[in-house]
Amino acid sequence: MRVTEGRLIELQTAGIAKARTDVARAGQKIASGRALEVPSDDPVAWIEGARVRARQEMSQRRGSAIGRAETRLVETEGALAVIGDALIRAQEIAVQMATPTVTAAERAQAAVEVRALLDTAVAAANTRGHDGEYLLAGDQGLTAPFSAVGVYSGDSGTRLIEAGEGVRHAVTVSGARLTAASGIDVLPALDALATALAGNVVAGIQAALDAMNAAVGQVADARSEAGYRIHALRDSEDARVAFENRLAETQALTSGTDMIEAASELARASNALEAARLSAERIIELARPR
């Protein structure tokens, strides 16, 4: 079969178009850093790359959750620190006021200070976090958990987040840690001390001192729990970042571009394009009428 000049020109045009496509694809690989631009490039590698990307996205969402949870726990530990400081001061007052030589007037004045300490402790216990929820309310985060005299109305719920593949962490401390469920009712003990001081009841003051001693330790335990959970989250974040780095390495192996090979491919495609152009020019020149 005789190949006409028109057909030759048509073939050369198709060849130039393909060469241009090859050049564009090679250039895109270098620009994007990805060897696989469409599934048909390598279906198996494309599927594996998609799995890796899905795990990367999930890990990034975990990172955001870890950050929010750490902020909340830091805020919680800060609130507990304020309560602890109020209790330590109340403990000092109870020691001073439990001696028989103290006058009723002095105890009445001390009662005023303890009431102020109670107000400070209740305000801290009802602290809202950066998300607007009450930090120590358990799962009842939309309602202030402590009354004016420190009675708890929240629950013992503890929230969990997924901090890694198959790894879950508790990320809240419930106000139940400040109730008789964990020892004594911490804030009402302050109210009891203030009442005993105002009434000049020495036996009541001495009993309240025992309660203060227990309360200081109970709040310290709650702070330690918050601190432990903060450190656990930070460890999980370090592990998550290392995990993401490994995923990135896997992604590079499955769909990343070998820059040396990509540059060679671009050079070959560019040479082929130039050759196709020269060939087309010769055919067109031969086809011109003489």
Side-chain angles (χ1 to χ4, degrees):
M1 177 182 294
R2 181 172 175 271
V3 179
T4 65
E5 292 174 346
R7 178 57 178 163
L8 285 173
I9 293 174
E10 182 181 327
L11 290 172
Q12 286 301 119
T13 301
I16 291 173
K18 180 181 181 303
R20 283 176 176 162
T21 299
D22 291 343
V23 169
R25 173 173 289 189
Q28 180 62 27
K29 285 181 181 180
I30 292 175
S32 69
R34 296 191 302 269
L36 307 178
E37 294 296 332
V38 294
S40 59
D41 287 341
D42 186 333
V44 174
W46 182 272
I47 291 171
E48 179 59 25
R51 288 173 178 164
V52 170
R53 288 192 295 274
R55 295 176 79 187
Q56 286 174 321
E57 291 171 4
M58 182 62 72
S59 178
Q60 289 164 4
R61 286 195 289 271
R62 292 191 194 104
S64 297
I66 288 172
R68 291 192 298 271
E70 182 181 342
T71 297
R72 183 186 178 103
L73 281 169
V74 169
E75 292 169 339
T76 300
E77 198 278 333
L80 291 170
V82 172
I83 296 169
D85 289 344
L87 289 169
I88 290 171
R89 175 56 187 154
Q91 185 183 43
E92 294 171 350
I93 292 171
V95 169
Q96 295 166 1
M97 297 297 112
T99 58
T101 57
V102 177
T103 67
E106 290 172 326
R107 289 186 177 121
Q109 184 60 40
V112 173
E113 183 177 354
V114 172
R115 287 288 176 200
L117 291 172
L118 173 60
D119 291 343
T120 297
V122 168
N126 285 331
T127 298
R128 292 176 185 261
H130 66 287
D131 57 1
E133 291 193 354
Y134 291 96
L135 296 172
L136 294 172
D139 288 328
Q140 309 299 318
L142 300 181
T143 304
F146 290 91
S147 72
V149 293
V151 176
Y152 186 60
S153 60
D155 60 31
S156 59
T158 300
R159 299 182 189 180
L160 303 174
I161 65 166
E162 185 177 279
E165 293 188 344
V167 178
R168 291 169 70 80
H169 283 313
V171 295
T172 57
V173 176
S174 168
R177 293 300 307 269
L178 307 183
T179 70
S182 298
I184 68 167
D185 288 316
V186 169
L187 300 184
L190 279 169
D191 182 59
L193 173 59
T195 299
L197 288 167
N200 196 33
V201 181
V202 175
I205 296 170
Q206 291 171 338
L209 175 57
D210 292 337
M212 287 300 100
N213 294 337
V216 168
Q218 195 167 320
V219 172
D221 289 343
R223 288 184 68 184
S224 294
E225 182 178 324
Y228 170 80
R229 290 177 178 174
I230 289 169
H231 285 297
L233 284 175
R234 289 173 180 171
D235 287 344
S236 288
E237 175 62 8
D238 289 342
R240 187 194 67 80
V241 171
F243 173 67
E244 276 202 16
N245 289 337
R246 292 194 297 273
L247 286 178
E249 291 172 359
T250 300
Q251 182 77 343
L253 290 173
T254 57
S255 59
T257 294
D258 180 328
M259 288 302 176
I260 295 176
E261 174 57 30
S264 298
E265 182 180 342
L266 178 60
R268 289 193 297 270
S270 298
N271 290 337
L273 175 59
E274 184 61 23
R277 284 174 176 166
L278 291 174
S279 178
E281 288 175 0
R282 285 196 294 270
I283 290 173
I284 292 171
E285 181 65 27
L286 291 172
R288 284 177 181 171
R290 300 296 179 180

